[in-house]
Amino acid sequence: MAELPEIAKITHQMNDELRSRVIDEVIILQEKCTNVSVEELKCRIKKAVIEKVYYKGKWIIIAFTNGENILLSLGMGADVLYYLDEKDSSDKFQIKVIFKDNSCFTIRYWWFGKFLIVSDKELCDEKNTKDIAITPFDKEFTYEYFKGILGGKKTQIKAFLLDQKNVGGIGNMYMHDILFMAKIHPQSKINELTEEEIKCLYDSILYILNTSFNKGSFNYEMDFYGQKGNYKVEDFLIGYKENQDCPICQNPIKLIKTGSTSSFICDSCQKKD
Amino acid sequence: MAELPEIAKITHQMNDELRSRVIDEVIILQEKCTNVSVEELKCRIKKAVIEKVYYKGKWIIIAFTNGENILLSLGMGADVLYYLDEKDSSDKFQIKVIFKDNSCFTIRYWWFGKFLIVSDKELCDEKNTKDIAITPFDKEFTYEYFKGILGGKKTQIKAFLLDQKNVGGIGNMYMHDILFMAKIHPQSKINELTEEEIKCLYDSILYILNTSFNKGSFNYEMDFYGQKGNYKVEDFLIGYKENQDCPICQNPIKLIKTGSTSSFICDSCQKKD
DNA sequence: TAATCTAACAACGA
DNA sequence: CTCGTTGTTAGATT
């Protein structure tokens, strides 16, 4: 579930908290989420010092001073929880990272998370992350840039925005409101959007994601300290509000299938063409 | 149009006729069918001596002793015609290759042909041809081999057989009869075929293609000497015979859309499952 | 009638 | 709610 606002928040917290922390031990209970043997991973990360934590799209990257990196994908949702003292940590986790000072963090995946180790040298070729585009939180994500990547493509706008090679960090959850706010149907073809619609879409992306971030991100997700954000389901414009009234026109909100994802839309405000 | 029987015939003729012939000049009237500038092509092929002519799938490859190769694709159909004396050749062509002894051959594409030059070194990486599979005329195309490449795939059988990465040389024209003879619907899933059906399909592929080859290949196509083959439309079992009676059950033959191609079928003899 | 590449799209699995 | 792979289709190519 975690999308850009949640990823940005927890990454900032991890970076502030964990810089210079020294790894003591890593416990991996779910081997399938990593890319090398558990032994190799432990060996490459042993006594490593955290240089910084940053994100690329929805991936959290922990860079170590020894030239290694941990690439963390939360998949369909995961808790990443910090404990000042490892003894206080829950035993419900797939991965636990313990530091020399006895602090630790645990990762509990809901579904399909990743915990990969990649050297600095391999990082630029790493297939999961190498093609991820910049996010709407980046300075470079200007309106001109956005208009440029849309090109004259014939793709459906929602499929395009969900593709991390085009825009990093947007998932299905915030998509509903972004498209609703721009009054664009998820299956509208990009090359049929007007200049005004594109401008409005750009503004909507920034507005929706920034509003959540500024409220501490989504309320169902826990941050690094186990706290929940203040952006609540009530704050959604139409997302996850099937059959409730559209806030603009009072028509009932519909849940439709759009390719492999579902979309909440107001089919009166958001016309296909 | 040219498929394996036509390609095999003309390639044999070219190989027999052109071995040791020395290039004098190449005239390219359609630049888009080649991969380098006309000047570079002329330069690399000038005075080159033909070592042999062979085929890979539907591609005809002319190998020169100087380490260059011409890769010839007939696309949707083309005449490749030999003239003992260049003065006798027609001026309807996109490409003409003239030899030192004043013999020549012309190529007249119907639609989308290719005339590429590739060095021996680059040949194994050449993207159009590197992944083409062996053809049913190869000794290695045994029943065991054929059963092996089918694997447990979920693809439609016709799409699979048309894909040159799986089997080289089969096109849409002979496909109709191959599938009809095996009593298999073009959209049958491979993993739902019985062992008997696969055996029958293998036999049908060899029977149909060999029968055409043995009759001098398709009658609408001209060979290297301008002669037409003796495998006629009347020899087709059901191909291109819409509304005529199925030779087995007398039901009318239907023309249906199957993906991007059309298929003549007897929907009584060829059931989807 | 015919060939192939590509982008977009859908279905499935992990 | 993810992301990747595979298969399918429509469009374009000169």
Side-chain angles (χ1 to χ4, degrees):
Chain A
M1 199 89 106
E3 301 182 21
L4 188 50
E6 294 77 34
I7 296 289
K9 181 185 188 186
I10 201 164
T11 301
H12 292 154
Q13 292 176 323
M14 291 176 75
N15 187 55
D16 290 344
E17 185 70 59
L18 301 182
R19 255 172 203 271
S20 305
R21 215 65 68 100
V22 183
I23 300 272
D24 185 46
E25 198 190 345
V26 183
I27 302 170
I28 312 238
L29 301 184
Q30 173 53 272
E31 293 201 33
K32 294 219 174 190
C33 65
T34 190
N35 57 334
V36 299
S37 70
V38 172
E39 297 73 40
E40 178 180 342
L41 192 143
K42 283 167 184 270
C43 167
R44 287 169 62 177
I45 216 177
K46 185 87 182 171
K47 294 185 186 164
V49 179
I50 293 182
E51 182 190 344
K52 62 178 174 180
V53 183
Y54 62 101
Y55 62 86
K56 184 165 185 186
K58 298 177 196 170
W59 285 77
I60 298 171
I61 303 181
I62 305 172
F64 295 91
T65 57
N66 71 349
E68 298 286 2
N69 302 269
I70 290 294
L71 275 51
L72 190 55
S73 165
L74 306 187
M76 305 268 274
D79 294 332
V80 184
L81 292 172
Y82 175 75
Y83 298 92
L84 185 55
D85 188 332
E86 189 260 333
K87 286 190 286 297
D88 299 329
S89 69
S90 155
D91 56 355
K92 288 183 184 160
F93 62 85
Q94 278 85 43
I95 291 172
K96 185 189 284 192
V97 177
I98 306 166
F99 298 103
K100 285 284 184 202
D101 63 2
N102 265 322
S103 65
C104 79
F105 70 89
T106 58
I107 307 173
R108 188 176 46 164
Y109 295 116
W110 254 30
W111 203 238
F112 306 138
K114 293 284 183 198
F115 187 89
L116 312 179
I117 185 161
V118 178
S119 70
D120 286 347
K121 199 161 70 79
E122 301 163 325
L123 190 54
C124 59
D125 293 321
E126 200 286 316
K127 78 180 170 62
N128 293 286
T129 50
K130 72 184 164 76
D131 293 322
I132 295 177
I134 62 171
T135 76
F137 285 180
D138 283 279
K139 257 201 323 290
E140 294 79 10
F141 193 84
T142 62
Y143 173 59
E144 286 305 317
Y145 169 83
F146 182 61
K147 208 171 53 161
I149 60 172
L150 290 176
K153 296 210 167 57
K154 294 170 186 171
T155 327
Q156 300 175 176
I157 185 61
K158 179 174 172 179
F160 179 89
L161 295 174
L162 281 175
D163 188 335
Q164 304 295 302
K165 287 192 267 302
N166 301 131
V167 181
I170 310 181
N172 205 41
M173 187 177 74
Y174 290 109
M175 189 68 71
H176 311 298
D177 282 2
I178 288 171
L179 292 171
F180 171 75
M181 187 172 170
K183 296 188 194 307
I184 294 174
H185 190 283
Q187 292 173 316
S188 293
K189 301 260 195 273
I190 289 173
N191 59 357
E192 293 170 1
L193 296 178
T194 64
E195 173 95 24
E196 294 93 303
E197 284 176 317
I198 293 173
K199 181 71 175 80
C200 186
L201 177 58
Y202 174 80
D203 292 340
S204 300
I205 290 169
L206 292 183
Y207 176 82
I208 296 290
L209 298 178
N210 276 314
T211 301
S212 174
F213 183 78
N214 291 332
K215 285 200 173 193
S217 88
F218 190 49
N219 183 249
Y220 280 21
E221 303 281 322
M222 281 200 284
D223 67 17
F224 201 48
Y225 303 105
Q227 305 298 308
K228 293 174 169 218
N230 284 310
Y231 194 73
K232 304 186 174 162
V233 173
E234 302 93 89
D235 293 313
F236 287 148
L237 301 173
I238 64 163
Y240 308 95
K241 298 194 176 184
E242 191 178 3
N243 294 324
Q244 296 182 41
D245 296 347
C246 165
I248 305 288
C249 76
Q250 277 69 50
N251 271 4
I253 292 160
K254 301 214 166 41
L255 178 58
I256 65 170
K257 286 275 161 201
T258 48
S260 52
T261 65
S262 294
S263 297
F264 292 89
I265 62 160
C266 168
D267 60 10
S268 163
C269 293
Q270 296 164 274
K271 304 280 192 194
K272 204 178 256 176
D273 41 62
Chain B
M1 199 90 104
E3 301 181 23
L4 189 50
E6 294 77 35
I7 295 290
K9 180 185 188 186
I10 200 165
T11 302
H12 291 153
Q13 292 176 323
M14 291 177 75
N15 187 56
D16 290 345
E17 185 69 59
L18 301 182
R19 255 172 202 273
S20 306
R21 214 65 68 100
V22 183
I23 299 274
D24 185 47
E25 199 190 345
V26 183
I27 302 171
I28 311 238
L29 300 184
Q30 174 52 275
E31 293 201 34
K32 295 225 174 189
C33 66
T34 190
N35 57 335
V36 300
S37 71
V38 172
E39 298 72 40
E40 179 181 342
L41 192 144
K42 283 167 183 272
C43 168
R44 287 170 60 177
I45 217 177
K46 185 89 181 170
K47 295 185 185 165
V49 179
I50 291 182
E51 183 191 344
K52 62 177 174 180
V53 183
Y54 62 100
Y55 62 84
K56 183 166 186 185
K58 299 176 194 170
W59 284 77
I60 298 171
I61 303 180
I62 306 172
F64 295 92
T65 57
N66 72 349
E68 298 286 1
N69 303 270
I70 291 293
L71 274 50
L72 191 55
S73 164
L74 305 186
M76 306 270 274
D79 293 333
V80 184
L81 292 171
Y82 176 75
Y83 298 93
L84 185 55
D85 187 332
E86 188 259 334
K87 286 192 283 299
D88 300 329
S89 68
S90 157
D91 57 354
K92 287 183 184 161
F93 63 85
Q94 278 87 41
I95 291 173
K96 184 189 286 190
V97 178
I98 307 166
F99 299 103
K100 285 285 185 203
D101 64 1
N102 266 320
S103 64
C104 79
F105 69 90
T106 59
I107 306 173
R108 188 176 45 163
Y109 296 116
W110 273 25
W111 203 241
F112 306 135
K114 292 287 180 195
F115 187 89
L116 313 179
I117 185 161
V118 178
S119 71
D120 286 347
K121 200 160 69 81
E122 300 162 327
L123 190 53
C124 59
D125 293 321
E126 201 286 317
K127 77 179 171 66
N128 293 286
T129 49
K130 73 183 162 79
D131 293 322
I132 295 177
I134 62 170
T135 77
F137 284 179
D138 284 279
K139 257 200 323 289
E140 295 79 10
F141 193 82
T142 61
Y143 173 59
E144 286 303 317
Y145 169 82
F146 182 61
K147 210 171 52 160
I149 60 172
L150 290 177
K153 295 212 167 56
K154 294 171 185 171
T155 325
Q156 300 174 175
I157 185 62
K158 179 173 173 181
F160 179 89
L161 295 173
L162 281 176
D163 188 336
Q164 304 295 302
K165 288 192 266 306
N166 301 132
V167 182
I170 310 181
N172 206 41
M173 188 177 74
Y174 290 109
M175 189 68 73
H176 311 298
D177 283 2
I178 288 171
L179 292 172
F180 171 75
M181 186 173 171
K183 297 187 193 308
I184 294 175
H185 190 283
Q187 292 175 315
S188 293
K189 301 263 194 270
I190 289 173
N191 59 358
E192 293 170 1
L193 296 178
T194 64
E195 174 96 24
E196 293 94 302
E197 284 177 316
I198 293 173
K199 181 70 177 78
C200 187
L201 177 58
Y202 174 80
D203 292 340
S204 301
I205 291 170
L206 291 183
Y207 176 82
I208 296 290
L209 298 177
N210 276 315
T211 302
S212 174
F213 183 79
N214 291 334
K215 285 200 173 193
S217 86
F218 190 49
N219 184 249
Y220 281 20
E221 302 283 321
M222 283 200 284
D223 67 17
F224 200 47
Y225 302 104
Q227 304 300 307
K228 292 175 170 217
N230 285 310
Y231 194 75
K232 302 185 176 165
V233 173
E234 302 92 271
D235 292 313
F236 286 149
L237 301 174
I238 66 162
Y240 310 97
K241 299 195 175 182
E242 190 178 4
N243 294 325
Q244 296 182 41
D245 296 346
C246 166
I248 304 289
C249 74
Q250 278 69 50
N251 271 3
I253 292 160
K254 301 211 165 44
L255 177 58
I256 65 170
K257 287 273 161 202
T258 48
S260 51
T261 66
S262 294
S263 298
F264 292 89
I265 62 160
C266 167
D267 60 10
S268 164
C269 292
Q270 297 165 274
K271 305 280 193 194
K272 204 177 257 178
D273 42 61

